[in-house]
Amino acid sequence: MTITEQPFLGWSPEAVVFDCDGTLMDTEQHWQDARVRALRDFGLRPAPGFAERAKGVHYLACGRMMAEEADKPELAPELTRSLLSHFLDRVADDPVTMPGAAEFVRRLSGRLPLAVASNCPLEVVEQCLEQAGLLAHFRHIVVPDVPDAYGATPQSGAPADAVRPKPWPDVYVTAALLCGARCERTLAVEDSLTGIESARRAGLRVVGVGPRPADGGGPVDLWVPTLRAPQLLEVHWVPPA
């Protein structure tokens, strides 16, 4: 679906599902810092363009990517552990929400079911949202239960009913169902191409937020610079009875 002047005219969501990193929480820089520090622990440096390739990628897949791009695949487990440890340290030091995110969530809270669909471990998402004072506003938090199946196919051994990471659609499908909403009547709020692909494959409508990628940001209904954008007022935030 392409962006129109009034993309949500006459449309009301039954639920809203948010990504966490880069959408609710200003943690993408924390992840980037953690990647650099993890590589530095092993005397390595990120390859050109790595930050953009890693954005939105599950941290286990990111650890493998770092090891493979350094031509040291045997270091994947250690790099992954180092990555998560550095990230948690950065979050504890600096739990910052994205511009307008806290106000937007509080405005919707109580009107609609709200959920989070993230590629991060559950404890990371809960810690971030709790420190930001937002955790209580979300009915459900959905994360992959087979995070190592990032590149899995049915033939590669991932269980058929597993919740796989983005860009698979599973976290968004699961979040909508837990909220009691139809996927086609659920709105996703995302900042990464990986997350947008996941939400679209799940059948959700999508608001992209943040700096818009050079390629346009994929098939979103609306792209806004922050969650303070006036275009979001077009959406009817109370679902029909």
Side-chain angles (χ1 to χ4, degrees):
M1 184 177 296
T2 57
I3 296 174
T4 65
E5 291 297 319
Q6 294 179 300
F8 298 108
L9 185 64
W11 187 82
S12 298
E14 296 175 348
V16 182
V17 183
F18 293 83
D19 172 54
C20 186
D21 283 351
T23 300
L24 292 173
M25 301 298 300
D26 190 6
T27 49
E28 184 52 42
Q29 187 58 51
H30 294 350
W31 278 117
Q32 179 57 16
D33 290 346
R35 294 170 197 134
V36 171
R37 294 181 188 196
L39 288 165
R40 191 182 298 151
D41 286 345
F42 296 88
L44 304 172
R45 299 178 65 182
F50 178 75
E52 190 59 34
R53 291 193 298 279
K55 188 175 181 180
V57 173
H58 191 278
Y59 83 99
L60 288 178
C62 188
R64 289 198 301 274
M65 188 188 306
M66 289 173 10
E68 289 164 2
E69 292 193 3
D71 200 27
K72 295 185 178 293
E74 71 279 4
L75 289 180
E78 291 88 349
L79 276 168
T80 301
R81 284 192 291 270
S82 179
L83 171 63
L84 184 58
S85 176
H86 283 302
F87 175 74
L88 290 174
D89 287 344
R90 292 290 290 116
V91 169
D93 290 341
D94 188 23
V96 179
T97 57
M98 294 299 290
E103 303 97 286
F104 188 60
V105 167
R106 291 179 180 126
R107 179 154 60 91
L108 299 187
S109 183
R111 298 187 182 186
L112 291 163
L114 304 182
V116 172
S118 176
N119 265 356
C120 286
L122 180 62
E123 62 271 23
V124 171
V125 178
E126 290 181 337
Q127 178 178 330
C128 287
L129 295 177
E130 179 65 32
Q131 289 181 314
L134 296 178
L135 183 60
H137 295 288
F138 294 98
R139 294 189 186 180
H140 306 286
I141 296 174
V142 181
V143 301
D145 57 21
V146 283
D148 207 34
Y150 186 85
T153 65
Q155 291 75 33
S156 68
D161 59 349
V163 176
R164 300 161 295 186
K166 306 171 188 178
W168 293 88
D170 304 20
V171 289
Y172 276 108
V173 171
T174 303
L177 291 174
L178 287 172
C179 287
R182 296 166 288 177
C183 286
E184 67 272 18
R185 300 292 300 188
T186 300
L187 183 66
V189 185
E190 267 286 355
D191 75 305
S192 73
L193 297 179
T194 298
I196 289 167
E197 180 182 350
S198 171
R200 274 303 187 196
R201 290 173 67 183
L204 279 65
R205 299 187 72 173
V206 183
V207 168
V209 62
R212 192 160 190 183
D215 65 0
V220 298
D221 295 277
L222 177 68
W223 197 285
V224 294
T226 74
L227 291 176
R228 295 191 180 109
Q231 298 97 310
L232 294 175
L233 297 176
E234 297 173 5
V235 183
H236 299 284
W237 294 114
V238 179

